[in-house]
């Protein structure tokens, strides 16, 4: 086929690097934005972090405070001058002693090293001990036989994060090399030794064994310990299902006795290794803070959520005075720095506008809580602000708002709605709040089932099917009726 040239006209949208950066910054969370800005500042010498400290004001305040205290210090200076002269004479006598000079230099060196050590606060942070380290420390102190110690350490390495041994001992013995000569009996003996260590219940192969080990570790004088062991070993499923009539029949006791036994069982730890987990709490820094003023509820940007960036004026002034071919790369970095600052400002302004629009639509929520959340979709906010729905979606993802009722993601206020008999629509968030409120105020001895909750909501004009109530209840991690019932 002979190659030919063709002329074709078409329309398309090309995103500039600045626009791509603006879209990228919109969808970043506060933590991700901090990381991205730190990376860019390290790569671009024309950028620097604005710490927000006004040195001139600080020095002015220092001078004012020194002038204010000058009268007091003048009075004290007269009384102390005599003591200073006497101490100076004593120090002059000591300074002539060479041995004292050596000691003084020694203490100065120690003082400098101590100051350097104190400045590194990371050394003061203790490293959390893992479950494996905790068990191995006990084994090294208590186990004397080297062979038994190695077998026990082998089983410790087979425990999961909750402290359970999920692998069968016979299968584990087959996987070990034959030259080690470790039998299933040796593994059972090592497992029995691990189950005597701290925390109680570690090394169990199932929940029943874990609870039984913890109850057996209690003193023999513990009230109702025998009854609790019987229920755990023989009727654990009935305990989990809260089948209290059957449990009373098994123990042959009254309701008060059964409640004490049940309380003893529920105080046990089903996950002994959970206390040694290395998971750390992740704290959310709100991007917006909502406060009430004379004009109503107002959204304010949280200055701590994002770092402030500025152009390095020293470098910028040098570039203005020396514009040539050699400084062209730096001029490009100066443009990138200014675009970054504009995009960050645009991001903060958009977050503030969207947050204020959400607040204007959710006034009832701020006054009365989640049961008063009104139905809201992103299209409404987009039409009010003249933005696209995709922009609203990006700006409400992983952005958080502090309210008198807690910290919420901006996307929390958007959701589906359910029509009511009066013709109005109710937000799914408000319905979940009503269900949660009904369950919190129910009689624990006669808890409400899903059908009864549905009927109560219908009496309030909110028609919700039983299946929908069950779905919302499971979404809020609320257990069913039989698990909420108390003896």
């Amino acid at each position: 086929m002979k190659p030919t040239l063709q002329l074709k006209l078409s329309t398309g949208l090309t995103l500039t690097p600045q626009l791509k950066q603006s879209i990228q910054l919109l969808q970043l969370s506060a933590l991700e934005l901090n990381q991205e800005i730190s990376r860019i500042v390290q790569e671009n010498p024309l950028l620097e972090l604005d710490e927000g400290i006004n040195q001139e004001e600080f020095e002015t305040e220092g001078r004012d405070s020194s002038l204010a205290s000058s009268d007091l210090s003048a009075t004290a200076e007269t009384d102390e001058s005599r003591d200073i002269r006497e101490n100076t004479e004593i120090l002059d006598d000591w300074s002539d002693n060479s041995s004292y000079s050596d000691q003084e230099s020694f203490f100065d060196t120690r003082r400098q090293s101590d100051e350097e050590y104190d400045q590194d606060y990371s050394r003061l942070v203790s490293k959390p001990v893992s479950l494996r380290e905790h068990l191995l420390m006990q084994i090294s102190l208590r186990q004397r036989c080297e062979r038994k110690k190695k077998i026990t350490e082998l089983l410790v390495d087979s425990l999961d994060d909750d402290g359970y041994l999920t692998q069968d001992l016979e299968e584990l013995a087959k996987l070990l090399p034959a030259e080690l000569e470790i039998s299933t009996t040796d593994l059972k003996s090592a497992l029995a030794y691990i189950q005597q260590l701290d925390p109680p219940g570690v090394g169990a192969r199932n929940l029943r064994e874990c609870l039984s080990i913890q109850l057996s570790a209690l003193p023999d004088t513990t009230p109702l310990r025998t009854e609790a062991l019987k229920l755990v070993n023989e009727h654990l499923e009935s305990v989990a299902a809260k089948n209290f009539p059957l449990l009373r029949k098994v123990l042959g006791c009254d309701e008060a006795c059964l409640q004490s036994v049940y309380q003893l069982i529920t105080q046990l730890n089903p996950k002994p290794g959970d206390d040694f987990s290395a998971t750390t709490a992740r704290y959310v820094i709100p991007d917006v803070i909502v406060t009430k003023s004379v004009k109503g509820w107002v959204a304010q940007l949280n200055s701590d959520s994002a770092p402030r960036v500025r152009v390095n004026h020293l470098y910028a002034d040098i570039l203005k005075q020396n514009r040539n071919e050699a400084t062209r790369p730096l001029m490009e970095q100066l443009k990138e720095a200014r675009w970054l600052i504009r995009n960050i400002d645009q991001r903060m302004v958009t977050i503030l506008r969207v947050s204020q629009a959400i607040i204007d639509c959710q006034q009832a929520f701020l006054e009365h809580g989640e049961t008063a959340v009104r139905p809201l979709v992103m299209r409404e906010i987009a039409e009010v602000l003249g933005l696209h729905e995709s922009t609203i979606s990006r700006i409400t993802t992983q952005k958080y708002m502090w309210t008198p009722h807690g910290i919420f993601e901006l996307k929390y206020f958007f959701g589906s709605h359910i029509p009511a008999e009066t013709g109005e629509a109710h937000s799914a968030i408000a319905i979940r709040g009503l269900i949660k409120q009904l369950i919190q105020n129910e009689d624990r001895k006669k808890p409400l089932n899903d059908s009864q909750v549905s009927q109560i909501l219908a009496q309030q004009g909110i028609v919700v099917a039983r299946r929908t109530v069950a779905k919302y209840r499971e979404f809020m991690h609320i257990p069913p009726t039989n698990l909420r019932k108390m003896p």
Side-chain angles (χ1 to χ4, degrees), residues 235-283:
H235 304 278
L236 185 59
E237 292 79 6
S238 300
V239 173
K242 293 187 176 181
N243 192 350
F244 298 119
L246 177 62
L247 298 179
R248 282 198 300 268
K249 184 178 179 181
V250 169
L251 296 180
C253 63
D254 56 4
E255 185 175 340
C257 178
L258 177 61
Q259 188 171 1
S260 300
V261 175
Y262 181 80
Q263 186 176 4
L264 177 61
I265 295 174
T266 54
Q267 290 176 351
L268 304 176
N269 187 3
K271 296 181 179 180
D274 195 39
D275 295 336
F276 297 89
S277 60
T279 56
T280 56
R282 297 183 61 185
Y283 298 95

Side-chain angles (χ1 to χ4, degrees), residues 179-242:
E179 56 269 17
L180 296 179
E181 298 180 354
I182 299 178
S183 63
T184 307
T185 304
D186 296 330
L187 293 178
K188 289 182 179 179
S189 176
L191 181 61
Y193 179 80
I194 292 176
Q195 293 177 352
Q196 298 175 5
L197 300 178
D198 181 78
V202 68
R205 286 160 287 190
N206 50 60
L207 179 60
R208 188 189 308 274
E209 186 177 17
C210 177
L211 300 180
S212 179
I213 292 172
Q214 296 182 51
L215 288 172
S216 300
L218 296 177
D220 296 337
T221 57
T222 303
L224 303 175
R225 171 174 168 268
T226 305
E227 291 79 359
L229 274 170
K230 183 177 182 180
L231 293 184
V232 167
N233 293 328
E234 301 177 8
H235 304 278
L236 185 59
E237 292 79 6
S238 300
V239 173
K242 293 187 176 181

Side-chain angles (χ1 to χ4, degrees), residues 43-307:
E43 296 177 354
N44 193 337
L46 275 300
L47 279 173
E48 62 180 0
L49 294 177
D50 185 4
E51 302 296 340
I53 300 177
N54 194 330
Q55 188 67 22
E56 295 180 358
E57 292 180 2
F58 178 79
E59 294 176 354
T60 303
E61 292 175 1
R63 288 194 298 268
D64 294 342
S65 61
S66 62
L67 290 174
S69 59
S70 59
D71 297 336
L72 296 176
S73 59
T75 306
E77 184 178 0
T78 304
D79 297 334
E80 292 179 358
S81 59
R82 188 184 304 106
D83 296 335
I84 292 175
R85 286 196 300 271
E86 294 177 355
N87 292 335
T88 304
E89 295 175 356
I90 295 174
L91 289 175
D92 291 339
D93 296 337
W94 275 93
S95 61
D96 295 337
N97 194 335
S98 60
S99 61
Y100 176 77
S101 300
D102 296 338
Q103 294 178 3
E104 185 178 9
S105 62
F106 168 75
F107 285 115
D108 289 341
T109 305
R110 289 294 302 274
R111 191 179 301 110
Q112 292 177 0
S113 61
D114 291 342
E115 291 176 355
E116 293 176 357
Y117 182 84
D118 292 339
Q119 291 176 358
D120 189 6
Y121 294 104
S122 61
R123 300 183 182 181
L124 303 178
V125 179
S126 61
K127 180 182 178 182
V129 180
S130 63
L131 177 63
R132 180 180 181 275
E133 294 172 345
H134 183 65
L135 295 175
L136 292 181
M137 182 179 62
Q138 298 178 68
I139 294 171
S140 62
L141 295 175
R142 299 174 58 178
Q143 186 65 269
R144 296 182 179 180
C145 179
E146 192 65 27
R147 183 175 184 274
K148 292 182 179 179
K149 182 185 296 185
K150 294 297 182 183
I151 298 175
T152 308
E153 292 176 354
L154 174 65
L155 284 182
V156 169
D157 292 334
S158 302
L159 300 178
D160 60 11
D161 295 336
D162 295 330
Y164 283 85
L165 180 65
T166 57
Q167 193 171 6
D168 187 68
L169 292 179
E170 295 181 358
E171 295 179 357
L172 184 59
K174 293 178 182 179
L175 295 175
L176 297 176
E179 56 269 17
L180 296 179
E181 298 180 354
I182 299 178
S183 63
T184 307
T185 304
D186 296 330
L187 293 178
K188 289 182 179 179
S189 176
L191 181 61
Y193 179 80
I194 292 176
Q195 293 177 352
Q196 298 175 5
L197 300 178
D198 181 78
V202 68
R205 286 160 287 190
N206 50 60
L207 179 60
R208 188 189 308 274
E209 186 177 17
C210 177
L211 300 180
S212 179
I213 292 172
Q214 296 182 51
L215 288 172
S216 300
L218 296 177
D220 296 337
T221 57
T222 303
L224 303 175
R225 171 174 168 268
T226 305
E227 291 79 359
L229 274 170
K230 183 177 182 180
L231 293 184
V232 167
N233 293 328
E234 301 177 8
H235 304 278
L236 185 59
E237 292 79 6
S238 300
V239 173
K242 293 187 176 181
N243 192 350
F244 298 119
L246 177 62
L247 298 179
R248 282 198 300 268
K249 184 178 179 181
V250 169
L251 296 180
C253 63
D254 56 4
E255 185 175 340
C257 178
L258 177 61
Q259 188 171 1
S260 300
V261 175
Y262 181 80
Q263 186 176 4
L264 177 61
I265 295 174
T266 54
Q267 290 176 351
L268 304 176
N269 187 3
K271 296 181 179 180
D274 195 39
D275 295 336
F276 297 89
S277 60
T279 56
T280 56
R282 297 183 61 185
Y283 298 95
V284 173
I285 300 177
D287 300 87
V288 178
I289 298 176
V290 181
T291 57
K292 191 172 185 180
S293 63
V294 180
K295 298 180 180 180
W297 295 97
V298 181
Q300 298 177 350
L301 291 174
N302 184 9
S303 58
D304 297 332
S305 62

